[in-house]
Amino acid sequence: MCPDNAACRGNRADALTGLRRFGEAVKDCEEALRIDPSYGRAHQRLATLHIRLGRIEDALKHQSLASPQLDPLELHRLQTVEQHLGRCLDARKAGEWKCVLRESDAAIASGADSSALLLAAKAEALLPLNRLDEADSAISSASKLDYPFSDTKFCGFLANAYLFYVHAQVDMALGRFDNAVSSIDKARIKDPGNTEVVTIHNKVKAVARARSLGNELFNSGNFSEACLAYGEGLKQHPTNKVLYGNRAACWFKLGQWEKSIEDCNQAIKIHPNYTKALLRRAACYGKMGRWAAEGPHGVTALAQDPVNLAGGPNIGNLQRSSEVCANETLAHRCQCNTEDIDESSAEGLCGAVTYAKANAMLIQVPVLGTTKKFWRLSDKATMISRKLALILKSHHAVCKYLSAPLKVSNVWISISTGTVKLRGVSFTSKQFDIERVRDDYKHLSSVLLVLISISGGDITKLPPDYEEFIMLLRRNTLTVQDEFLIVNNSALLPMKNRTEVFLMLCDKINKYLGRTKDGQAKKKRILSKLPYKKDWLDTAVANTQINQWVVNVQNKYERTQYDQLRLNRNVRSHMHDYNDDNIEEVLYCEWPELLMEMMKALHAESELECTDIQNKFG
């Protein structure tokens, strides 16, 4: 390239814009103007770029100098974005969050489609509306955008400070307290004189301290004191679902079921898909004997037609008498429901209830090298979950959905092979839309939880990755693209496949993403999201099965995300080389959410499908 040629700089700016590298494109246009101040096309490009970035004042300045002038359509976009942005800022000052949401969406749709600040404003508006998943998605999208204008003012904030300010609030609302503290510290450093930043900084620190103290008290068995600590945090942040959920766990330990249900309801009101609160509430109803009060017909009706978990008591720890009665009734109905089953195809299949009664789906496994135990789904249970999801996805792919909600009685399973079939169901394409897809998966989640409960599993002990899978099925913001993540979810991996998948994902992150500048940025973002904690090296050293891979290395492991991923890879690769399947159980216990977070991060960066991971699933 000719570094002193304005036209070359401008042409490269066009290419960079196509790659969504807007900061670099702006710099090239500015450099073109430094070389040739009369270069009108650079002004035109800058006007268009600043519209997309939501920088209206700069867009207006360059629009007046552009040659040729912006076409009428582009000029209309500029004026429309300006109007919506102005209304958005006014609404934020007044605290009218619905208006902020409406106007930020309108500004983005009108042309400011790459404005990190508008996405952050949208995320901030979604928080008081209790639309936490959408807020998280919006601020995550904002974080991925190239926004080099740190000195820009927005709503009285320095731009980067505002992004960190909103990120901290989203993280706090979703219980990512360490991330919240880190983000608000960065906001305070960048904009120390901003009173809103100072206020939220103090609040985040206070809530994080209360949560940390509550956790310490809970882990030491001081449940009453832990309740008080979480309550102090709620005084600072009365809409924090995690603090309500944690306090509900304390009430549960103290046997105060009504208080636990009350806190669960508060958490669910804030975040309707909050799985831990849903499961805790269900367990409370079970402890209170509501199932016995309903009798076998009530339990049978629930299992036959699982209701939305957020709507009322559901599938907690069933009292054994009601459970057995319900199971027998269901099993009988499943066995008799053969009107649409061909006898040859039904050979070897049994109703899902009969299968669940004979096969534990949630199992407890010893942690090799320690005296601990942990819970995980059996490989057959994960296979059943994935097969049912695949059946739904295959029909969604041709724009069909279940004409009636999925029921336990529709699921038939082979005891010998684990083959899964649906019976007594039909699919339709009438009025197909994403809401129908979401409903299918919500009913699937209820069926899976019923089966786990019937098999004797305590659904409050679901491992984190499977709990996240259930939450994904119930997400109100689920998209068609998310179906790939559902059917290839790490929670559904048999143990025998986990190492190969981990090595594949690890190589994708460390090797392939490091080859380009864009890939390196993705790699950095992915590594920052890995769930390693600072004490994991200590845990690894203390485990007799893992220790040999920690101490006998040339390059000492540091307490960084990259090094801890490297440690995990070395342990797994040694296991893979020596065909030692025991190590996998150890690593799954230590980090059941690791593969899940790796897959989610790659999916968010549009890098998961190219890993060909689906071929590694059993």
Side-chain angles (χ1 to χ4, degrees), residues 4 19 38 68 84 107 116 167 173 190 203 228 242 259 271 292 398 402 408 422 440 450 470 478 511 589:
D4 295 324
L19 295 171
S38 64
H84 289 302
H167 222 309
K190 291 183 178 295
K203 178 184 288 190
L228 296 175
V242 173
K259 287 187 176 181
H271 193 187
V398 293
L402 284 166
V408 173
L422 290 186
D440 277 356
V450 168
I470 294 294
L478 187 79
K511 293 182 180 179
C589 167

mmCIF file with all atom_site columns, all heavy atoms in Angstrom, residues 4 19 38 68 84 107 116 167 173 190 203 228 242 259 271 292 398 402 408 422 440 450 470 478 511 589:
data_model
loop_
_atom_site.group_PDB
_atom_site.id
_atom_site.type_symbol
_atom_site.label_atom_id
_atom_site.label_alt_id
_atom_site.label_comp_id
_atom_site.label_asym_id
_atom_site.label_entity_id
_atom_site.label_seq_id
_atom_site.pdbx_PDB_ins_code
_atom_site.Cartn_x
_atom_site.Cartn_y
_atom_site.Cartn_z
_atom_site.occupancy
_atom_site.B_iso_or_equiv
_atom_site.pdbx_formal_charge
_atom_site.auth_seq_id
_atom_site.auth_comp_id
_atom_site.auth_asym_id
_atom_site.auth_atom_id
_atom_site.pdbx_PDB_model_num
ATOM 1   N N   . ASP A 1 4   ? 1.191   7.254   1.766  1.00 0.00 ? 4   ASP A N   1
ATOM 2   C CA  . ASP A 1 4   ? 0.902   8.677   1.625  1.00 0.00 ? 4   ASP A CA  1
ATOM 3   C C   . ASP A 1 4   ? -0.093  8.962   0.506  1.00 0.00 ? 4   ASP A C   1
ATOM 4   O O   . ASP A 1 4   ? -0.162  10.088  -0.006 1.00 0.00 ? 4   ASP A O   1
ATOM 5   C CB  . ASP A 1 4   ? 2.202   9.453   1.364  1.00 0.00 ? 4   ASP A CB  1
ATOM 6   C CG  . ASP A 1 4   ? 3.142   9.391   2.561  1.00 0.00 ? 4   ASP A CG  1
ATOM 7   O OD1 . ASP A 1 4   ? 2.629   9.406   3.701  1.00 0.00 ? 4   ASP A OD1 1
ATOM 8   O OD2 . ASP A 1 4   ? 4.367   9.303   2.360  1.00 0.00 ? 4   ASP A OD2 1
ATOM 9   N N   . LEU A 1 19  ? -15.397 -5.270  7.104  1.00 0.00 ? 19  LEU A N   1
ATOM 10  C CA  . LEU A 1 19  ? -14.999 -6.236  8.135  1.00 0.00 ? 19  LEU A CA  1
ATOM 11  C C   . LEU A 1 19  ? -15.467 -5.815  9.527  1.00 0.00 ? 19  LEU A C   1
ATOM 12  O O   . LEU A 1 19  ? -15.132 -6.464  10.513 1.00 0.00 ? 19  LEU A O   1
ATOM 13  C CB  . LEU A 1 19  ? -13.472 -6.386  8.138  1.00 0.00 ? 19  LEU A CB  1
ATOM 14  C CG  . LEU A 1 19  ? -12.851 -6.995  6.877  1.00 0.00 ? 19  LEU A CG  1
ATOM 15  C CD1 . LEU A 1 19  ? -11.333 -6.882  6.930  1.00 0.00 ? 19  LEU A CD1 1
ATOM 16  C CD2 . LEU A 1 19  ? -13.267 -8.460  6.728  1.00 0.00 ? 19  LEU A CD2 1
ATOM 17  N N   . SER A 1 38  ? -8.516  18.256  1.248  1.00 0.00 ? 38  SER A N   1
ATOM 18  C CA  . SER A 1 38  ? -9.637  18.529  0.343  1.00 0.00 ? 38  SER A CA  1
ATOM 19  C C   . SER A 1 38  ? -10.295 17.252  -0.175 1.00 0.00 ? 38  SER A C   1
ATOM 20  O O   . SER A 1 38  ? -11.181 17.315  -1.027 1.00 0.00 ? 38  SER A O   1
ATOM 21  C CB  . SER A 1 38  ? -9.141  19.357  -0.854 1.00 0.00 ? 38  SER A CB  1
ATOM 22  O OG  . SER A 1 38  ? -8.205  18.601  -1.629 1.00 0.00 ? 38  SER A OG  1
ATOM 23  N N   . PRO A 1 68  ? -18.718 13.536  -3.114 1.00 0.00 ? 68  PRO A N   1
ATOM 24  C CA  . PRO A 1 68  ? -20.053 14.120  -3.293 1.00 0.00 ? 68  PRO A CA  1
ATOM 25  C C   . PRO A 1 68  ? -20.845 14.124  -1.990 1.00 0.00 ? 68  PRO A C   1
ATOM 26  O O   . PRO A 1 68  ? -20.502 13.419  -1.053 1.00 0.00 ? 68  PRO A O   1
ATOM 27  C CB  . PRO A 1 68  ? -20.692 13.189  -4.326 1.00 0.00 ? 68  PRO A CB  1
ATOM 28  C CG  . PRO A 1 68  ? -20.016 11.870  -4.096 1.00 0.00 ? 68  PRO A CG  1
ATOM 29  C CD  . PRO A 1 68  ? -18.598 12.202  -3.739 1.00 0.00 ? 68  PRO A CD  1
ATOM 30  N N   . HIS A 1 84  ? -33.896 10.125  17.223 1.00 0.00 ? 84  HIS A N   1
ATOM 31  C CA  . HIS A 1 84  ? -34.083 9.043   18.198 1.00 0.00 ? 84  HIS A CA  1
ATOM 32  C C   . HIS A 1 84  ? -33.033 9.104   19.308 1.00 0.00 ? 84  HIS A C   1
ATOM 33  O O   . HIS A 1 84  ? -33.345 8.837   20.476 1.00 0.00 ? 84  HIS A O   1
ATOM 34  C CB  . HIS A 1 84  ? -34.036 7.683   17.495 1.00 0.00 ? 84  HIS A CB  1
ATOM 35  C CG  . HIS A 1 84  ? -35.232 7.401   16.637 1.00 0.00 ? 84  HIS A CG  1
ATOM 36  N ND1 . HIS A 1 84  ? -36.515 7.403   17.131 1.00 0.00 ? 84  HIS A ND1 1
ATOM 37  C CD2 . HIS A 1 84  ? -35.335 7.114   15.307 1.00 0.00 ? 84  HIS A CD2 1
ATOM 38  C CE1 . HIS A 1 84  ? -37.366 7.122   16.151 1.00 0.00 ? 84  HIS A CE1 1
ATOM 39  N NE2 . HIS A 1 84  ? -36.674 6.948   15.039 1.00 0.00 ? 84  HIS A NE2 1
ATOM 40  N N   . ALA A 1 107 ? -33.071 4.036   17.105 1.00 0.00 ? 107 ALA A N   1
ATOM 41  C CA  . ALA A 1 107 ? -31.839 4.634   16.580 1.00 0.00 ? 107 ALA A CA  1
ATOM 42  C C   . ALA A 1 107 ? -30.956 3.580   15.925 1.00 0.00 ? 107 ALA A C   1
ATOM 43  O O   . ALA A 1 107 ? -30.379 3.804   14.853 1.00 0.00 ? 107 ALA A O   1
ATOM 44  C CB  . ALA A 1 107 ? -31.076 5.332   17.704 1.00 0.00 ? 107 ALA A CB  1
ATOM 45  N N   . ALA A 1 116 ? -21.834 1.077   20.106 1.00 0.00 ? 116 ALA A N   1
ATOM 46  C CA  . ALA A 1 116 ? -21.673 0.407   21.393 1.00 0.00 ? 116 ALA A CA  1
ATOM 47  C C   . ALA A 1 116 ? -22.427 1.152   22.490 1.00 0.00 ? 116 ALA A C   1
ATOM 48  O O   . ALA A 1 116 ? -23.001 0.539   23.397 1.00 0.00 ? 116 ALA A O   1
ATOM 49  C CB  . ALA A 1 116 ? -20.189 0.312   21.742 1.00 0.00 ? 116 ALA A CB  1
ATOM 50  N N   . HIS A 1 167 ? -21.892 -2.422  32.156 1.00 0.00 ? 167 HIS A N   1
ATOM 51  C CA  . HIS A 1 167 ? -21.446 -3.817  32.275 1.00 0.00 ? 167 HIS A CA  1
ATOM 52  C C   . HIS A 1 167 ? -21.444 -4.252  33.740 1.00 0.00 ? 167 HIS A C   1
ATOM 53  O O   . HIS A 1 167 ? -21.849 -5.380  34.071 1.00 0.00 ? 167 HIS A O   1
ATOM 54  C CB  . HIS A 1 167 ? -20.045 -3.975  31.682 1.00 0.00 ? 167 HIS A CB  1
ATOM 55  C CG  . HIS A 1 167 ? -19.886 -5.224  30.874 1.00 0.00 ? 167 HIS A CG  1
ATOM 56  N ND1 . HIS A 1 167 ? -20.235 -6.474  31.352 1.00 0.00 ? 167 HIS A ND1 1
ATOM 57  C CD2 . HIS A 1 167 ? -19.423 -5.429  29.614 1.00 0.00 ? 167 HIS A CD2 1
ATOM 58  C CE1 . HIS A 1 167 ? -19.991 -7.381  30.429 1.00 0.00 ? 167 HIS A CE1 1
ATOM 59  N NE2 . HIS A 1 167 ? -19.509 -6.777  29.362 1.00 0.00 ? 167 HIS A NE2 1
ATOM 60  N N   . ALA A 1 173 ? -26.427 -7.822  38.441 1.00 0.00 ? 173 ALA A N   1
ATOM 61  C CA  . ALA A 1 173 ? -27.793 -8.347  38.388 1.00 0.00 ? 173 ALA A CA  1
ATOM 62  C C   . ALA A 1 173 ? -27.811 -9.844  38.130 1.00 0.00 ? 173 ALA A C   1
ATOM 63  O O   . ALA A 1 173 ? -28.684 -10.560 38.621 1.00 0.00 ? 173 ALA A O   1
ATOM 64  C CB  . ALA A 1 173 ? -28.588 -7.618  37.308 1.00 0.00 ? 173 ALA A CB  1
ATOM 65  N N   . LYS A 1 190 ? -11.550 5.518   34.798 1.00 0.00 ? 190 LYS A N   1
ATOM 66  C CA  . LYS A 1 190 ? -11.675 6.303   33.570 1.00 0.00 ? 190 LYS A CA  1
ATOM 67  C C   . LYS A 1 190 ? -12.457 7.597   33.774 1.00 0.00 ? 190 LYS A C   1
ATOM 68  O O   . LYS A 1 190 ? -12.236 8.575   33.068 1.00 0.00 ? 190 LYS A O   1
ATOM 69  C CB  . LYS A 1 190 ? -12.331 5.451   32.478 1.00 0.00 ? 190 LYS A CB  1
ATOM 70  C CG  . LYS A 1 190 ? -11.436 4.321   31.982 1.00 0.00 ? 190 LYS A CG  1
ATOM 71  C CD  . LYS A 1 190 ? -12.073 3.547   30.851 1.00 0.00 ? 190 LYS A CD  1
ATOM 72  C CE  . LYS A 1 190 ? -11.126 2.458   30.343 1.00 0.00 ? 190 LYS A CE  1
ATOM 73  N NZ  . LYS A 1 190 ? -9.905  3.018   29.731 1.00 0.00 ? 190 LYS A NZ  1
ATOM 74  N N   . LYS A 1 203 ? -22.115 0.902   45.581 1.00 0.00 ? 203 LYS A N   1
ATOM 75  C CA  . LYS A 1 203 ? -23.158 -0.119  45.682 1.00 0.00 ? 203 LYS A CA  1
ATOM 76  C C   . LYS A 1 203 ? -22.618 -1.499  45.311 1.00 0.00 ? 203 LYS A C   1
ATOM 77  O O   . LYS A 1 203 ? -22.851 -2.485  46.021 1.00 0.00 ? 203 LYS A O   1
ATOM 78  C CB  . LYS A 1 203 ? -24.338 0.237   44.769 1.00 0.00 ? 203 LYS A CB  1
ATOM 79  C CG  . LYS A 1 203 ? -25.454 -0.805  44.776 1.00 0.00 ? 203 LYS A CG  1
ATOM 80  C CD  . LYS A 1 203 ? -26.557 -0.474  43.796 1.00 0.00 ? 203 LYS A CD  1
ATOM 81  C CE  . LYS A 1 203 ? -27.381 0.694   44.263 1.00 0.00 ? 203 LYS A CE  1
ATOM 82  N NZ  . LYS A 1 203 ? -28.600 0.877   43.420 1.00 0.00 ? 203 LYS A NZ  1
ATOM 83  N N   . LEU A 1 228 ? -28.891 -12.934 57.193 1.00 0.00 ? 228 LEU A N   1
ATOM 84  C CA  . LEU A 1 228 ? -28.735 -11.513 57.507 1.00 0.00 ? 228 LEU A CA  1
ATOM 85  C C   . LEU A 1 228 ? -27.755 -10.842 56.549 1.00 0.00 ? 228 LEU A C   1
ATOM 86  O O   . LEU A 1 228 ? -27.976 -9.708  56.108 1.00 0.00 ? 228 LEU A O   1
ATOM 87  C CB  . LEU A 1 228 ? -28.252 -11.353 58.951 1.00 0.00 ? 228 LEU A CB  1
ATOM 88  C CG  . LEU A 1 228 ? -29.221 -11.834 60.045 1.00 0.00 ? 228 LEU A CG  1
ATOM 89  C CD1 . LEU A 1 228 ? -28.563 -11.730 61.420 1.00 0.00 ? 228 LEU A CD1 1
ATOM 90  C CD2 . LEU A 1 228 ? -30.516 -11.028 60.015 1.00 0.00 ? 228 LEU A CD2 1
ATOM 91  N N   . VAL A 1 242 ? -29.707 -13.262 42.580 1.00 0.00 ? 242 VAL A N   1
ATOM 92  C CA  . VAL A 1 242 ? -28.783 -14.216 43.197 1.00 0.00 ? 242 VAL A CA  1
ATOM 93  C C   . VAL A 1 242 ? -28.842 -14.118 44.717 1.00 0.00 ? 242 VAL A C   1
ATOM 94  O O   . VAL A 1 242 ? -28.830 -15.136 45.417 1.00 0.00 ? 242 VAL A O   1
ATOM 95  C CB  . VAL A 1 242 ? -27.347 -13.987 42.688 1.00 0.00 ? 242 VAL A CB  1
ATOM 96  C CG1 . VAL A 1 242 ? -26.358 -14.865 43.443 1.00 0.00 ? 242 VAL A CG1 1
ATOM 97  C CG2 . VAL A 1 242 ? -27.276 -14.279 41.195 1.00 0.00 ? 242 VAL A CG2 1
ATOM 98  N N   . LYS A 1 259 ? -40.649 -19.212 53.788 1.00 0.00 ? 259 LYS A N   1
ATOM 99  C CA  . LYS A 1 259 ? -39.741 -18.087 53.543 1.00 0.00 ? 259 LYS A CA  1
ATOM 100 C C   . LYS A 1 259 ? -38.856 -18.355 52.333 1.00 0.00 ? 259 LYS A C   1
ATOM 101 O O   . LYS A 1 259 ? -38.547 -17.443 51.561 1.00 0.00 ? 259 LYS A O   1
ATOM 102 C CB  . LYS A 1 259 ? -38.882 -17.819 54.782 1.00 0.00 ? 259 LYS A CB  1
ATOM 103 C CG  . LYS A 1 259 ? -39.647 -17.178 55.932 1.00 0.00 ? 259 LYS A CG  1
ATOM 104 C CD  . LYS A 1 259 ? -38.709 -16.792 57.064 1.00 0.00 ? 259 LYS A CD  1
ATOM 105 C CE  . LYS A 1 259 ? -39.456 -16.057 58.167 1.00 0.00 ? 259 LYS A CE  1
ATOM 106 N NZ  . LYS A 1 259 ? -38.555 -15.656 59.273 1.00 0.00 ? 259 LYS A NZ  1
ATOM 107 N N   . HIS A 1 271 ? -36.212 -12.602 37.404 1.00 0.00 ? 271 HIS A N   1
ATOM 108 C CA  . HIS A 1 271 ? -35.645 -13.363 36.283 1.00 0.00 ? 271 HIS A CA  1
ATOM 109 C C   . HIS A 1 271 ? -36.437 -14.661 36.126 1.00 0.00 ? 271 HIS A C   1
ATOM 110 O O   . HIS A 1 271 ? -36.128 -15.668 36.755 1.00 0.00 ? 271 HIS A O   1
ATOM 111 C CB  . HIS A 1 271 ? -34.171 -13.670 36.558 1.00 0.00 ? 271 HIS A CB  1
ATOM 112 C CG  . HIS A 1 271 ? -33.434 -14.163 35.356 1.00 0.00 ? 271 HIS A CG  1
ATOM 113 N ND1 . HIS A 1 271 ? -32.140 -14.620 35.413 1.00 0.00 ? 271 HIS A ND1 1
ATOM 114 C CD2 . HIS A 1 271 ? -33.794 -14.269 34.049 1.00 0.00 ? 271 HIS A CD2 1
ATOM 115 C CE1 . HIS A 1 271 ? -31.740 -14.987 34.207 1.00 0.00 ? 271 HIS A CE1 1
ATOM 116 N NE2 . HIS A 1 271 ? -32.728 -14.781 33.369 1.00 0.00 ? 271 HIS A NE2 1
ATOM 117 N N   . ALA A 1 292 ? -48.395 -34.913 48.242 1.00 0.00 ? 292 ALA A N   1
ATOM 118 C CA  . ALA A 1 292 ? -49.316 -35.840 48.902 1.00 0.00 ? 292 ALA A CA  1
ATOM 119 C C   . ALA A 1 292 ? -50.712 -35.241 48.962 1.00 0.00 ? 292 ALA A C   1
ATOM 120 O O   . ALA A 1 292 ? -51.720 -35.930 48.816 1.00 0.00 ? 292 ALA A O   1
ATOM 121 C CB  . ALA A 1 292 ? -48.818 -36.152 50.312 1.00 0.00 ? 292 ALA A CB  1
ATOM 122 N N   . VAL A 1 398 ? -37.564 -27.690 9.140  1.00 0.00 ? 398 VAL A N   1
ATOM 123 C CA  . VAL A 1 398 ? -38.503 -27.649 8.006  1.00 0.00 ? 398 VAL A CA  1
ATOM 124 C C   . VAL A 1 398 ? -39.763 -26.876 8.395  1.00 0.00 ? 398 VAL A C   1
ATOM 125 O O   . VAL A 1 398 ? -40.842 -27.093 7.847  1.00 0.00 ? 398 VAL A O   1
ATOM 126 C CB  . VAL A 1 398 ? -38.853 -29.075 7.522  1.00 0.00 ? 398 VAL A CB  1
ATOM 127 C CG1 . VAL A 1 398 ? -37.639 -29.735 6.908  1.00 0.00 ? 398 VAL A CG1 1
ATOM 128 C CG2 . VAL A 1 398 ? -39.416 -29.933 8.656  1.00 0.00 ? 398 VAL A CG2 1
ATOM 129 N N   . LEU A 1 402 ? -44.476 -28.927 17.341 1.00 0.00 ? 402 LEU A N   1
ATOM 130 C CA  . LEU A 1 402 ? -45.441 -29.850 17.928 1.00 0.00 ? 402 LEU A CA  1
ATOM 131 C C   . LEU A 1 402 ? -46.827 -29.208 17.986 1.00 0.00 ? 402 LEU A C   1
ATOM 132 O O   . LEU A 1 402 ? -46.973 -28.077 18.456 1.00 0.00 ? 402 LEU A O   1
ATOM 133 C CB  . LEU A 1 402 ? -45.000 -30.246 19.337 1.00 0.00 ? 402 LEU A CB  1
ATOM 134 C CG  . LEU A 1 402 ? -43.854 -31.264 19.417 1.00 0.00 ? 402 LEU A CG  1
ATOM 135 C CD1 . LEU A 1 402 ? -43.289 -31.305 20.825 1.00 0.00 ? 402 LEU A CD1 1
ATOM 136 C CD2 . LEU A 1 402 ? -44.333 -32.647 18.994 1.00 0.00 ? 402 LEU A CD2 1
ATOM 137 N N   . VAL A 1 408 ? -44.652 -36.550 28.962 1.00 0.00 ? 408 VAL A N   1
ATOM 138 C CA  . VAL A 1 408 ? -43.837 -37.711 29.304 1.00 0.00 ? 408 VAL A CA  1
ATOM 139 C C   . VAL A 1 408 ? -44.351 -38.957 28.592 1.00 0.00 ? 408 VAL A C   1
ATOM 140 O O   . VAL A 1 408 ? -43.577 -39.798 28.141 1.00 0.00 ? 408 VAL A O   1
ATOM 141 C CB  . VAL A 1 408 ? -43.822 -37.919 30.832 1.00 0.00 ? 408 VAL A CB  1
ATOM 142 C CG1 . VAL A 1 408 ? -43.121 -39.221 31.191 1.00 0.00 ? 408 VAL A CG1 1
ATOM 143 C CG2 . VAL A 1 408 ? -43.130 -36.754 31.518 1.00 0.00 ? 408 VAL A CG2 1
ATOM 144 N N   . LEU A 1 422 ? -40.608 -40.732 19.704 1.00 0.00 ? 422 LEU A N   1
ATOM 145 C CA  . LEU A 1 422 ? -41.809 -40.022 20.142 1.00 0.00 ? 422 LEU A CA  1
ATOM 146 C C   . LEU A 1 422 ? -43.031 -40.739 19.592 1.00 0.00 ? 422 LEU A C   1
ATOM 147 O O   . LEU A 1 422 ? -43.054 -41.124 18.420 1.00 0.00 ? 422 LEU A O   1
ATOM 148 C CB  . LEU A 1 422 ? -41.798 -38.574 19.648 1.00 0.00 ? 422 LEU A CB  1
ATOM 149 C CG  . LEU A 1 422 ? -40.785 -37.618 20.281 1.00 0.00 ? 422 LEU A CG  1
ATOM 150 C CD1 . LEU A 1 422 ? -41.019 -36.205 19.774 1.00 0.00 ? 422 LEU A CD1 1
ATOM 151 C CD2 . LEU A 1 422 ? -40.856 -37.647 21.797 1.00 0.00 ? 422 LEU A CD2 1
ATOM 152 N N   . ASP A 1 440 ? -41.784 -25.431 22.307 1.00 0.00 ? 440 ASP A N   1
ATOM 153 C CA  . ASP A 1 440 ? -41.370 -26.838 22.205 1.00 0.00 ? 440 ASP A CA  1
ATOM 154 C C   . ASP A 1 440 ? -40.244 -27.141 23.187 1.00 0.00 ? 440 ASP A C   1
ATOM 155 O O   . ASP A 1 440 ? -40.260 -28.162 23.891 1.00 0.00 ? 440 ASP A O   1
ATOM 156 C CB  . ASP A 1 440 ? -40.899 -27.153 20.778 1.00 0.00 ? 440 ASP A CB  1
ATOM 157 C CG  . ASP A 1 440 ? -42.054 -27.458 19.835 1.00 0.00 ? 440 ASP A CG  1
ATOM 158 O OD1 . ASP A 1 440 ? -43.208 -27.509 20.300 1.00 0.00 ? 440 ASP A OD1 1
ATOM 159 O OD2 . ASP A 1 440 ? -41.795 -27.648 18.626 1.00 0.00 ? 440 ASP A OD2 1
ATOM 160 N N   . VAL A 1 450 ? -39.029 -33.922 34.889 1.00 0.00 ? 450 VAL A N   1
ATOM 161 C CA  . VAL A 1 450 ? -39.939 -34.933 35.431 1.00 0.00 ? 450 VAL A CA  1
ATOM 162 C C   . VAL A 1 450 ? -39.267 -36.308 35.418 1.00 0.00 ? 450 VAL A C   1
ATOM 163 O O   . VAL A 1 450 ? -39.308 -37.052 36.408 1.00 0.00 ? 450 VAL A O   1
ATOM 164 C CB  . VAL A 1 450 ? -41.255 -34.972 34.621 1.00 0.00 ? 450 VAL A CB  1
ATOM 165 C CG1 . VAL A 1 450 ? -42.073 -36.207 34.990 1.00 0.00 ? 450 VAL A CG1 1
ATOM 166 C CG2 . VAL A 1 450 ? -42.076 -33.720 34.889 1.00 0.00 ? 450 VAL A CG2 1
ATOM 167 N N   . ILE A 1 470 ? -30.797 -26.676 30.809 1.00 0.00 ? 470 ILE A N   1
ATOM 168 C CA  . ILE A 1 470 ? -32.229 -26.504 31.077 1.00 0.00 ? 470 ILE A CA  1
ATOM 169 C C   . ILE A 1 470 ? -32.616 -25.034 30.955 1.00 0.00 ? 470 ILE A C   1
ATOM 170 O O   . ILE A 1 470 ? -33.661 -24.682 30.390 1.00 0.00 ? 470 ILE A O   1
ATOM 171 C CB  . ILE A 1 470 ? -32.584 -27.042 32.480 1.00 0.00 ? 470 ILE A CB  1
ATOM 172 C CG1 . ILE A 1 470 ? -32.396 -28.566 32.539 1.00 0.00 ? 470 ILE A CG1 1
ATOM 173 C CG2 . ILE A 1 470 ? -34.007 -26.664 32.865 1.00 0.00 ? 470 ILE A CG2 1
ATOM 174 C CD1 . ILE A 1 470 ? -33.340 -29.363 31.665 1.00 0.00 ? 470 ILE A CD1 1
ATOM 175 N N   . LEU A 1 478 ? -34.603 -17.182 23.105 1.00 0.00 ? 478 LEU A N   1
ATOM 176 C CA  . LEU A 1 478 ? -33.979 -18.205 22.271 1.00 0.00 ? 478 LEU A CA  1
ATOM 177 C C   . LEU A 1 478 ? -34.159 -17.872 20.788 1.00 0.00 ? 478 LEU A C   1
ATOM 178 O O   . LEU A 1 478 ? -35.240 -17.477 20.356 1.00 0.00 ? 478 LEU A O   1
ATOM 179 C CB  . LEU A 1 478 ? -34.616 -19.561 22.567 1.00 0.00 ? 478 LEU A CB  1
ATOM 180 C CG  . LEU A 1 478 ? -33.974 -20.778 21.896 1.00 0.00 ? 478 LEU A CG  1
ATOM 181 C CD1 . LEU A 1 478 ? -32.729 -21.190 22.663 1.00 0.00 ? 478 LEU A CD1 1
ATOM 182 C CD2 . LEU A 1 478 ? -34.958 -21.939 21.857 1.00 0.00 ? 478 LEU A CD2 1
ATOM 183 N N   . LYS A 1 511 ? -4.748  -22.118 18.914 1.00 0.00 ? 511 LYS A N   1
ATOM 184 C CA  . LYS A 1 511 ? -3.965  -22.192 17.677 1.00 0.00 ? 511 LYS A CA  1
ATOM 185 C C   . LYS A 1 511 ? -4.596  -21.399 16.542 1.00 0.00 ? 511 LYS A C   1
ATOM 186 O O   . LYS A 1 511 ? -4.010  -20.462 16.011 1.00 0.00 ? 511 LYS A O   1
ATOM 187 C CB  . LYS A 1 511 ? -3.791  -23.656 17.266 1.00 0.00 ? 511 LYS A CB  1
ATOM 188 C CG  . LYS A 1 511 ? -2.920  -24.463 18.232 1.00 0.00 ? 511 LYS A CG  1
ATOM 189 C CD  . LYS A 1 511 ? -2.737  -25.893 17.736 1.00 0.00 ? 511 LYS A CD  1
ATOM 190 C CE  . LYS A 1 511 ? -1.860  -26.697 18.696 1.00 0.00 ? 511 LYS A CE  1
ATOM 191 N NZ  . LYS A 1 511 ? -1.687  -28.106 18.237 1.00 0.00 ? 511 LYS A NZ  1
ATOM 192 N N   . CYS A 1 589 ? -15.569 -33.023 37.627 1.00 0.00 ? 589 CYS A N   1
ATOM 193 C CA  . CYS A 1 589 ? -15.963 -32.583 38.967 1.00 0.00 ? 589 CYS A CA  1
ATOM 194 C C   . CYS A 1 589 ? -15.438 -31.184 39.255 1.00 0.00 ? 589 CYS A C   1
ATOM 195 O O   . CYS A 1 589 ? -16.148 -30.331 39.771 1.00 0.00 ? 589 CYS A O   1
ATOM 196 C CB  . CYS A 1 589 ? -15.428 -33.544 40.016 1.00 0.00 ? 589 CYS A CB  1
ATOM 197 S SG  . CYS A 1 589 ? -15.541 -32.887 41.688 1.00 0.00 ? 589 CYS A SG  1
#
